[in-house]
Amino acid sequence: MSELSDLIPVEAIRLDVAAPDWQSAVRTAGDLLVSTDVSTDTYTEEMLRNVQENGPYIVIAPGFAFAHARPSPAVLRTGMSWVRLSTPVSFGHETNDPVHLVVALAAEDAGAHTQAMGALARLLADPDTSAALDRAPTPEALRQILVGDAAPESEPAPAPAPAPSGSTPERPASKGSGHGMHKILTVCGNGVGTSLFLKSTLDKVLDRWKWGRYITTEATDTISAKGKASEAVAIMTSREIARTLGDVGVPVRVIEDFTSTKEVDAAMRDLYDV
């Protein structure tokens, strides 16, 4: 598993960048991927097209856009870039605009960067660390924060129920997963970026609840999610992707801030009526 220190070199970090619009911000992040031999210009265009086709679902937390596209021949190796904007720009997101931070990911596959996604989610979820990243004066100083240990996020209270069980309108029944095991899908347009980010946050909540033995999680894309919905008890995703999915026969919970364990915790409590 790749770590943030492997994926974000100093050369892939730019601070206080002036960008007139979201396209320019994403293009700047893509240019850094190109200059560090992570991807080609074609991948940058694919990231832009992803937003144009699927909407601003990549704005996964207030002020934060996670730009990416599907793995393709335009990806030379897995890597990331970091662009902090001097003036925030609008992506058209209903709740998380304007954006002052764009992180771009180019992934060779859906699995190699899972650990890095978890680390990044923890860093951005911690208020003190997030503020330190916003104040970092140089790329070198910012990278030191990225590779260091973040303070733990304030934890919600443990779930009062010992395990998911039963079948009520608020508590979905297991669907063919055997031995009471439930599956929750986290979904994005491509299945390798924001869905993995949300999966990491959901896994952290399940670990706190000690429900990992009862619920499995899977990050996937919109097309695959429609076929996999019959195997799941619920889907968690962005508002834009929820609209794209429509009625898939299982509860769909919209998460506005993919870094927030508190929001995911609340969605789980609502889902399981605990």
Side-chain angles (χ1 to χ4, degrees):
M1 293 291 183
S2 297
E3 298 183 356
L4 280 177
S5 57
D6 302 321
L7 300 182
I8 308 181
V10 171
E11 296 77 13
I13 300 171
R14 284 191 62 189
L15 305 181
D16 303 324
V17 173
D21 50 37
W22 72 263
Q23 293 94 332
S24 178
V26 171
R27 196 175 296 281
T28 299
D31 288 345
L32 288 174
L33 295 178
V34 173
S35 66
T36 52
D37 299 321
V38 168
S39 63
T40 69
D41 289 328
T42 299
Y43 186 75
T44 302
E45 297 304 317
E46 291 170 356
M47 289 195 296
L48 291 165
R49 189 160 55 248
N50 181 37
V51 179
Q52 292 163 351
E53 293 177 354
N54 296 302
Y57 79 92
I58 66 168
V59 186
I60 61 176
F64 171 43
F66 192 50
H68 63 285
R70 292 181 183 274
S72 77
V75 178
L76 306 178
R77 62 183 177 86
T78 298
M80 300 170 70
S81 64
W82 186 286
V83 176
R84 192 177 71 193
L85 302 174
S86 57
T87 302
V89 298
S90 174
F91 275 67
H93 195 279
E94 293 182 23
T95 59
N96 291 335
D97 268 345
V99 168
H100 70 274
L101 172 62
V102 179
V103 176
L105 165 72
E108 292 180 282
D109 57 64
H113 55 291
T114 304
Q115 183 173 325
M117 294 302 95
L120 183 58
R122 288 190 297 273
L123 288 168
L124 295 177
D126 178 69
D128 292 336
T129 305
S130 182
L133 290 167
D134 287 341
R135 294 192 304 265
T138 65
E140 292 80 6
L142 188 141
R143 190 172 185 278
Q144 279 299 112
I145 299 170
L146 289 178
V147 302
D149 293 325
E153 182 187 7
S154 176
E155 298 187 3
S165 62
S167 178
T168 70
E170 297 81 16
R171 180 183 294 146
S174 177
K175 296 196 175 193
S177 49
H179 306 291
M181 180 66 77
H182 290 192
K183 177 188 285 187
I184 296 177
L185 302 176
T186 59
V187 182
C188 74
N190 301 291
V192 296
T194 58
S195 59
L196 276 174
F197 212 100
L198 180 54
K199 179 182 184 300
S200 174
T201 304
L202 174 57
D203 286 341
K204 185 192 291 189
V205 171
L206 293 175
D207 286 344
R208 291 176 180 175
W209 285 24
K210 302 188 187 306
W211 276 20
R213 73 183 69 178
Y214 308 111
I215 298 176
T216 63
T217 61
E218 181 180 349
T220 190
D221 60 90
T222 50
I223 295 174
S224 300
K226 292 180 180 181
K228 294 180 178 181
S230 61
E231 306 169 5
V233 297
I235 287 173
M236 291 190 182
T237 189
S238 66
R239 191 174 304 277
E240 292 80 11
I241 297 300
R243 291 171 181 156
T244 299
L245 289 173
D247 183 3
V248 290
V250 297
V252 176
R253 293 293 184 267
V254 169
I255 305 297
E256 301 289 358
D257 184 348
F258 282 21
T259 68
S260 173
T261 54
K262 293 180 180 179
E263 185 176 353
V264 173
D265 180 277
M268 285 292 295
R269 290 174 186 272
D270 175 66
L271 188 64
Y272 283 97
D273 193 27
V274 296

